[in-house]
Amino acid sequence: MSRPLSRITLQDVAREAGVSLATADRVLNGRAGVRGQTVERVQAAVARLGYRPNLAAARLARGETWRLCFVLPAGSNVFMRQLAQQVGLTAEWLKGQNAYIDLVRVDVFAPEELARTLERLAGRYDGVAVVALDHPRVRAAIDDLVGAGVAVVTLVSDVPNSQRAHYVGIDNIAAGRTAATLLGRFAGGRSGSVGLVVGTAALRDHAERQFGFSQVITGEFPGLKVVALGESFDEEERARQVAQRLVSEVPDLVGLYNVGAGNRGIATALEASGRAKELVFIGHDLTDDTRRALLRGVMDAVINQDAGHQSRSAARVLLAHCAGEPLMEEQERIRIDIFIRDNLP
Amino acid sequence: MSRPLSRITLQDVAREAGVSLATADRVLNGRAGVRGQTVERVQAAVARLGYRPNLAAARLARGETWRLCFVLPAGSNVFMRQLAQQVGLTAEWLKGQNAYIDLVRVDVFAPEELARTLERLAGRYDGVAVVALDHPRVRAAIDDLVGAGVAVVTLVSDVPNSQRAHYVGIDNIAAGRTAATLLGRFAGGRSGSVGLVVGTAALRDHAERQFGFSQVITGEFPGLKVVALGESFDEEERARQVAQRLVSEVPDLVGLYNVGAGNRGIATALEASGRAKELVFIGHDLTDDTRRALLRGVMDAVINQDAGHQSRSAARVLLAHCAGEPLMEEQERIRIDIFIRDNLP
DNA sequence: GATTTCATGATGGGCGCACCTCATTTATCT
DNA sequence: AGATAAATGAGGTGCGCCCATCATGAAATC
């Protein structure tokens, strides 16, 4: 069921403005050699007719192809695997849109290597999305890339003082605060200690979550105090050990917040202790594991950042930047999702 | 920064398959008159080369224009106004995509009028999105529309037994359950009554929320019981009155769930009573009012369904349906957002 | 008045695809 | 084998726009 339904074309604008198609085209594409007065006539016609260029036609005519590169961490926790998969889907979806995506994986925790990888991308890509370590060397590499005319966005973890065009990801301080408020309220007025399982402070996002969390617990739940016993390095087994120590060594433990990956290990430790139901456990990233943990009642809430949204948003932002099109800021904001047992998607 | 970077075209596929462009075209567009064997050869070539039709070119060549109609309730609570506004934005965004949207507002609570309005749309639109009352007359009208070859999706509130192609909205039973779990847990083990402020049972969504809410409170929080004293009809003042009665007449009130609109009225009542902080208050839809109420600490959580997502999703689903393109189910699922003070966007 | 500069029109060649026609080849059936 | 039907090729047109070239006319310069 389709009908031609003549829409307004450049042709119509030209006629309305009393100029030739060529001139109308010159005006719309900002080419030189048109009198100011004529420019205004054309613009007035555009406004009067409500002309919107046909994007499909424009893209076709331009025949531009944008080349994007996504740089993700090699050491793959579940979230990063999800993200990589979503980037794959985004790439697929972009094939119909004059753009394609290459995916590169590097050891993000090695600033030198990450920086060198980034430097190599200049000239080979029009846009780069990178899960970046906030390190001077990396920041410089990003700035160089931008200097070389490449659009750069940071993904998941930001490098605030760099020249990146955009940060696609959640506000991790707010995420930490969210976890704290939920944990505090779920604890229901009990007082005691809340265990903090930190991943690694290397990526900025973890440090920020931790900051936000402590801030709220300290400031708003006078009955609670934060204790941390060791890092998980985002590994399941390490996380399990840390959780186990918390459960056994902290007598007044009321809850537990895992900043990074390894929720499954923590769930194991809690269930082994027999206190899974009574302890409040909040972590990040909705995966098969955390979903099951929520349903079993081991976890009480999961803070999530949607990998698919971030991947698509990064692509949209990069393309808009490349093509010089405007983007709807509002729509590109990544939300901090809260999942409990009842609102699982 | 653009480069031609020859992508794979139908031309390439034809060459690879050893057929003419015409035949490749016949296969790809499912036209008759091609031997099964040849079809396979072409499809194999498509797979081998990873050919994806250039959407821009296809749309341009088809020159199709899709006409969509969104039917929203006339009586405008805040959410419906948000939705209408988002539909406007969606319409704007669609102008570059060979499609446009008309917005119609009717009194949804008058089944006859809604049904007649729907009937009039046949033949004039390719797709219709409707916030529908679940009523036999309306269901019949929807089925007629579908029978007339119009793609129909229900929006926000479903009509399950109709022939609509899709329901774009949240699972309202789950939303009610979510509210109940949050309320129960935020109440922190206290026992007593939770007040239910119902809007109106006319729209299916409210009834479902109420059902899910009661189910969880009854089943999982033995210390709590649900009390309801009158309907708000989604009006602020009525909601205020109901809340006031709850606060003054229910001595053991620990919290309050507002199923529909009118949160501002309830906030007013709670603050007037001086018990705003102590009572748990959960409602729906993130608006300026509820946002402020969260920040003030009057509300404890807001369950939200994103109007923008729903509007865009409905448009995408309708267009995909019209054009016979596949759609990513996964991506079109509307989530139940939970907002607390700390994760406000 | 002749020359230079500038503004504009006219025109054509794509981009990749959809859709149509007509001729030609190939398979199928009496 | 000959007739008939089916499958395929060749080619053209147009979608709306971008971009380039060339010609033309008018205004500005000397």
Side-chain angles (χ1 to χ4, degrees):
Chain A
M1 183 146 308
S2 69
R3 353 189 147 47
L5 195 127
S6 69
R7 294 183 60 250
I8 299 128
T9 76
L10 233 202
Q11 198 61 261
D12 303 320
V13 172
R15 194 181 320 115
E16 173 81 10
V19 300
S20 74
L21 222 162
T23 300
D25 171 71
R26 288 186 182 106
V27 172
L28 262 90
N29 291 287
R31 274 186 274 275
V34 185
R35 233 183 328 173
Q37 180 188 349
T38 313
V39 171
E40 281 167 24
R41 279 230 309 282
V42 173
Q43 285 169 342
V46 166
R48 217 172 315 135
L49 298 179
Y51 167 76
R52 327 265 315 166
N54 182 325
L55 286 190
R59 271 213 275 268
L60 180 57
R62 284 213 182 82
E64 293 169 330
T65 301
W66 308 108
R67 313 201 282 187
L68 309 184
C69 184
F70 278 57
V71 181
L72 305 189
S76 53
N77 61 47
V78 186
F79 174 73
M80 287 304 166
R81 279 204 300 273
Q82 281 184 348
L83 187 58
Q85 186 195 341
Q86 291 295 334
V87 171
L89 293 180
T90 306
E92 199 59 26
W93 138 252
L94 245 52
K95 281 194 185 166
Q97 314 276 333
N98 309 24
Y100 73 92
I101 297 181
D102 282 343
L103 179 55
V104 171
R105 295 174 145 270
V106 285
D107 182 355
V108 171
F109 298 108
E112 274 301 327
E113 193 187 335
L114 175 55
R116 275 198 307 273
T117 304
L118 288 177
E119 281 158 4
R120 266 197 299 273
L121 302 180
R124 302 156 45 92
Y125 292 98
D126 306 302
V128 170
V130 56
V131 178
L133 190 69
D134 190 10
H135 182 280
R137 184 78 176 77
V138 174
R139 191 177 318 150
I142 290 178
D143 290 350
D144 284 353
L145 260 186
V146 174
V150 180
V152 178
V153 303
T154 48
L155 191 60
V156 178
S157 193
D158 195 15
V159 184
N161 291 319
S162 66
Q163 302 290 318
R164 91 277 186 284
H166 202 91
Y167 163 58
V168 176
I170 60 174
D171 174 345
N172 281 294
I173 296 182
R177 295 177 58 93
T178 303
T181 298
L182 287 175
L183 201 159
R185 299 213 54 173
F186 283 177
R190 279 181 279 169
S191 53
S193 302
V194 294
L196 184 65
V197 184
V198 305
T200 152
L203 247 50
R204 196 182 170 88
D205 52 354
H206 283 198
E208 289 180 344
R209 288 176 191 175
Q210 202 175 325
F211 174 76
F213 181 79
S214 300
Q215 192 183 44
V216 168
I217 292 290
T218 308
E220 314 215 3
F221 296 95
L224 299 178
K225 62 179 183 299
V226 179
V227 294
L229 302 178
E231 299 177 68
S232 72
F233 297 102
D234 284 353
E235 290 166 22
E236 187 176 319
E237 175 54 19
R238 301 286 279 267
R240 192 190 61 72
Q241 290 166 9
V242 174
Q244 195 173 32
R245 283 188 55 205
L246 281 167
V247 173
S248 60
E249 296 178 18
V250 180
D252 64 347
L253 193 72
V254 301
L256 205 143
Y257 171 45
N258 183 20
V259 173
N263 288 307
R264 186 175 178 171
I266 295 179
T268 306
L270 289 185
E271 288 183 315
S273 76
R275 295 174 58 197
K277 289 276 157 82
E278 138 207 4
L279 292 171
V280 180
F281 170 24
I282 293 182
H284 280 266
D285 301 333
L286 189 65
T287 64
D288 287 345
D289 285 334
T290 54
R291 172 191 294 274
R292 272 196 292 269
L294 278 178
L295 291 173
R296 282 206 310 273
V298 184
M299 289 193 83
D300 298 274
V302 167
I303 314 288
N304 188 64
Q305 44 177 338
D306 194 282
H309 286 180
Q310 295 190 66
S311 169
R312 288 187 291 272
S313 180
R316 277 195 303 266
V317 171
L318 286 176
L319 288 181
H321 213 268
C322 289
E325 287 167 6
L327 64 87
M328 304 176 64
E329 285 282 351
E330 174 61 29
Q331 209 183 121
E332 304 302 342
R333 195 167 302 142
I334 307 299
R335 288 183 315 199
I336 301 170
D337 302 322
I338 300 174
F339 289 115
I340 61 176
R341 187 197 46 189
D342 302 287
N343 72 330
L344 286 173
Chain B
M1 184 148 304
S2 69
R3 351 188 150 46
L5 195 126
S6 70
R7 296 184 59 252
I8 299 127
T9 75
L10 234 201
Q11 200 58 265
D12 303 320
V13 172
R15 194 181 319 115
E16 173 81 10
V19 300
S20 73
L21 220 162
T23 300
D25 170 71
R26 288 184 182 108
V27 172
L28 261 91
N29 290 287
R31 274 186 273 275
V34 186
R35 237 185 326 175
Q37 181 188 347
T38 314
V39 171
E40 281 169 23
R41 277 230 309 283
V42 173
Q43 284 170 343
V46 166
R48 216 172 316 133
L49 298 180
Y51 167 76
R52 325 271 315 169
N54 181 323
L55 285 190
R59 272 212 275 269
L60 181 56
R62 284 214 180 82
E64 293 169 331
T65 301
W66 307 109
R67 315 200 279 187
L68 308 184
C69 184
F70 278 57
V71 181
L72 306 188
S76 54
N77 62 48
V78 186
F79 174 73
M80 287 304 167
R81 279 204 300 273
Q82 281 184 347
L83 187 58
Q85 185 194 341
Q86 290 295 333
V87 170
L89 293 180
T90 306
E92 199 58 26
W93 137 253
L94 246 52
K95 281 194 185 165
Q97 313 278 333
N98 307 26
Y100 72 93
I101 296 182
D102 282 344
L103 178 55
V104 171
R105 296 174 145 270
V106 285
D107 181 357
V108 171
F109 298 108
E112 275 300 328
E113 193 188 334
L114 176 55
R116 275 198 307 272
T117 304
L118 289 176
E119 281 157 5
R120 266 197 298 274
L121 302 181
R124 303 156 45 91
Y125 292 98
D126 306 303
V128 170
V130 55
V131 177
L133 189 70
D134 190 11
H135 181 281
R137 185 76 177 77
V138 175
R139 190 178 318 151
I142 290 178
D143 291 351
D144 284 352
L145 259 186
V146 175
V150 180
V152 178
V153 303
T154 48
L155 191 60
V156 179
S157 192
D158 195 16
V159 184
N161 290 319
S162 65
Q163 303 291 317
R164 91 280 186 281
H166 202 90
Y167 163 58
V168 176
I170 59 174
D171 175 345
N172 280 294
I173 295 182
R177 295 178 58 93
T178 303
T181 300
L182 287 175
L183 201 159
R185 298 215 54 175
F186 282 177
R190 280 181 279 168
S191 53
S193 302
V194 294
L196 185 64
V197 183
V198 305
T200 151
L203 246 52
R204 197 184 169 87
D205 53 353
H206 282 199
E208 289 180 345
R209 288 176 190 174
Q210 201 174 327
F211 175 77
F213 182 79
S214 300
Q215 192 183 42
V216 167
I217 293 290
T218 308
E220 315 214 1
F221 295 95
L224 299 178
K225 63 178 183 300
V226 179
V227 293
L229 303 178
E231 299 176 68
S232 73
F233 298 103
D234 284 354
E235 289 166 23
E236 189 177 317
E237 175 54 19
R238 301 287 278 267
R240 193 190 60 73
Q241 290 167 9
V242 175
Q244 195 174 28
R245 284 187 56 202
L246 281 167
V247 172
S248 58
E249 297 178 18
V250 182
D252 63 347
L253 193 72
V254 302
L256 207 143
Y257 171 44
N258 183 19
V259 172
N263 289 307
R264 185 175 178 173
I266 295 179
T268 305
L270 290 185
E271 288 183 315
S273 77
R275 295 173 59 196
K277 288 275 157 82
E278 140 207 2
L279 292 172
V280 180
F281 170 24
I282 293 183
H284 280 266
D285 302 333
L286 190 65
T287 63
D288 287 344
D289 285 333
T290 54
R291 171 191 296 272
R292 272 196 292 270
L294 278 177
L295 291 171
R296 282 207 308 274
V298 184
M299 289 192 84
D300 298 274
V302 167
I303 315 288
N304 188 63
Q305 44 178 338
D306 193 282
H309 285 180
Q310 295 190 65
S311 168
R312 288 187 291 271
S313 180
R316 277 196 302 266
V317 170
L318 286 176
L319 289 181
H321 213 267
C322 290
E325 287 167 5
L327 63 89
M328 303 176 65
E329 286 280 352
E330 175 60 30
Q331 210 183 117
E332 303 303 342
R333 196 167 301 143
I334 307 299
R335 287 181 317 197
I336 300 170
D337 301 324
I338 299 173
F339 289 115
I340 62 176
R341 187 197 45 190
D342 302 286
N343 71 331
L344 285 174

